[in-house]
Amino acid sequence: MMFQTNQVYPIIWHNDSVSLIDQTRLPNEYAFVEISRSEDMAVAIKTMIVRGAPAIGVAAAYGIYLGARETHTDNRDEFLHHLENVAQMLRSTRPTAVNLFWAISRMMKVAYETIGTVDEIKKALFQTAQAINAEDLQTCQDIGDNGLKALPTQPGQLTLLTHCNAGALATAGYGTALGVVRSAWREGRLARLFADETRPRLQGAKLTAWECVQEGIPVTVITDSMAAHCMKQGLIHAVVVGADRIAANGDTANKIGTYSLALVSKAHNIPFFVAAPLSTVDFDLADGSQIPIEERHPGEIYQIGDTILTPEGVEFYNPAFDVTPAELITAIITENGVFAPSELKQQEARKAA
């Protein structure tokens, strides 16, 4: 049974184009960007108008279809050559989020395996993009409900902590880590969510907090450096975060600062959960050392709006992600159930199917 508690859908096919919530304008402005060209979709992904690993995958799927629609040749080989160029353009936007590559691979597989005319391939690609969108929404609701069962049974109402934004805005809707929060709220198990502000782009303060306010979920924003203090004060019962790529052994890449949060959770004996679809697990990577880490423009660190925060002459290092070792993760919450990191390998065949 489908159960939807929120009406935030960051990616919608509407009027023959893709409507994206412009997440760079939140929380001050709730605006949409209309995307009708594959090149514009690549820009939207790269500039984080759309962000969050599952949402990036959905956006890339529509991007492939938009690219298919842009070519007017009836020659199958010419069409597929054009589509390969579109796929490469989209692959180059964000290197860490594996859902991007998963969705592109699925779309390209459909393009090559569909028998018939170029128009019939285009139709199959559109249907596949819509299927990826709908499947992700259902997946997130399943993750939320599976995560609810994994949370501590005591106290009856929990205070959870999350990092970055792994909510409806980061997916097709409902969210992964925030999907667990939503399910807990729906069942009366949530007292409050603490949200790390998540420097340097402040996705926790801007996006997670905004989502919670839309639904009346009690939310308290803290700076990233306050998490350990809050845990020591007994304010946090469990941590739930999302993921951009998970290696076969359970090592997890997520927004920078997640590794620190896992370390302090371990020090305070607080369960640390990763919530993500199986499509986020990259079974081709044995461990987290092989996960590529995106480094973004230093302006994210030294500037907020028009305000420059640092003196001239300093240097910057701005990795967008870090890798949390599997031994720090209590469990990984997926649409198929909740698994210890060491149990992930057993899901490889199920994912392939």
Side-chain angles (χ1 to χ4, degrees):
M1 178 180 177
M2 297 280 284
F3 189 103
Q4 184 67 22
T5 64
N6 73 300
Q7 299 298 319
V8 176
Y9 302 102
I11 306 167
I12 300 173
W13 181 262
H14 179 67
N15 287 342
D16 220 28
S17 64
V18 183
S19 292
L20 301 177
I21 295 176
D22 187 344
Q23 299 189 38
T24 65
R25 300 188 192 183
L26 289 172
N28 297 321
E29 184 181 357
Y30 183 37
F32 287 84
V33 175
E34 298 297 321
I35 304 290
S36 57
R37 302 190 313 150
S38 59
E39 186 176 353
D40 292 336
M41 184 63 83
V43 171
I45 295 171
K46 193 170 185 64
T47 60
M48 297 177 73
I49 287 172
V50 59
R51 30 72 49 209
I56 289 171
V58 175
Y62 280 122
I64 291 289
Y65 169 67
L66 293 175
R69 198 175 64 175
E70 288 159 5
T71 181
H72 302 294
T73 181
D74 291 329
N75 182 285
R76 181 186 179 92
D77 290 339
E78 289 179 5
F79 171 77
L80 291 173
H81 177 72
H82 167 78
L83 209 60
E84 284 288 359
N85 291 333
V86 172
Q88 187 53 41
M89 174 182 66
L90 290 166
R91 288 189 195 101
S92 69
T93 55
R94 301 290 305 277
T96 303
V98 74
N99 305 66
L100 171 74
F101 305 96
W102 170 85
I104 293 170
S105 294
R106 179 169 165 183
M107 292 289 286
M108 295 304 292
K109 186 172 186 285
V110 167
Y112 279 101
E113 293 182 357
T114 297
I115 305 299
T117 65
V118 167
D119 283 342
E120 287 171 327
I121 298 174
K122 291 179 182 179
K123 182 178 179 181
L125 288 171
F126 178 62
Q127 292 172 340
T128 303
Q130 288 198 305
I132 289 172
N133 195 341
E135 289 164 13
D136 186 68
L137 180 57
Q138 182 63 58
T139 290
C140 287
Q141 292 168 344
D142 292 341
I143 288 171
D145 291 347
N146 287 336
L148 175 62
K149 300 169 190 173
L151 292 175
T153 56
Q154 295 297 325
Q157 284 199 317
L158 300 166
T159 300
L160 304 177
L161 172 65
T162 194
H163 187 73
C164 195
N165 173 263
L169 290 168
T171 62
Y174 204 74
T176 53
L178 271 192
V180 178
V181 171
R182 283 190 166 92
S183 292
W185 177 245
R186 185 190 73 210
E187 299 300 323
R189 294 284 335 271
L190 182 73
R192 177 167 296 276
L193 178 69
F194 276 69
D196 278 349
E197 63 173 0
T198 319
R199 283 280 291 152
R201 290 190 63 96
L202 304 174
Q203 295 98 324
K206 291 181 176 180
L207 306 180
T208 295
W210 180 82
E211 287 196 41
C212 290
V213 167
Q214 303 313 300
E215 295 179 49
I217 295 174
V219 60
T220 297
V221 174
I222 59 174
T223 68
D224 299 2
S225 56
M226 295 175 184
H229 172 78
C230 291
M231 291 178 185
K232 189 174 183 180
Q233 299 299 312
L235 298 177
I236 309 298
H237 301 120
V239 177
V240 188
V241 300
D244 285 82
R245 190 182 298 215
I246 302 172
N249 72 334
D251 291 351
T252 295
N254 193 49
K255 187 55 56 186
I256 192 76
T258 303
Y259 179 26
S260 306
L261 198 56
L263 287 168
V264 295
S265 297
K266 189 78 167 181
H268 292 89
N269 199 30
I270 291 171
F272 184 92
F273 297 101
V274 171
L278 278 175
S279 59
T280 303
V281 183
D282 189 343
F283 289 105
D284 292 333
L285 300 187
D287 58 59
S289 67
Q290 300 172 305
I291 298 175
I293 300 298
E294 175 184 3
E295 187 172 346
R296 295 185 60 81
H297 191 276
E300 295 179 349
I301 296 178
Y302 67 68
Q303 187 169 2
I304 296 181
D306 295 328
T307 302
I308 303 297
L309 303 176
T310 59
E312 289 187 20
V314 302
E315 297 181 1
F316 300 92
Y317 176 47
N318 187 23
F321 304 91
D322 56 26
V323 177
T324 299
E327 60 265 24
L328 297 177
I329 298 169
T330 305
I332 296 173
I333 303 164
T334 77
E335 68 272 33
N336 285 358
V338 181
F339 307 101
S342 61
E343 297 173 329
L344 269 186
K345 248 328 200 180
Q346 301 167 18
Q347 296 301 307
E348 184 172 10
R350 189 165 182 176
K351 179 186 175 185

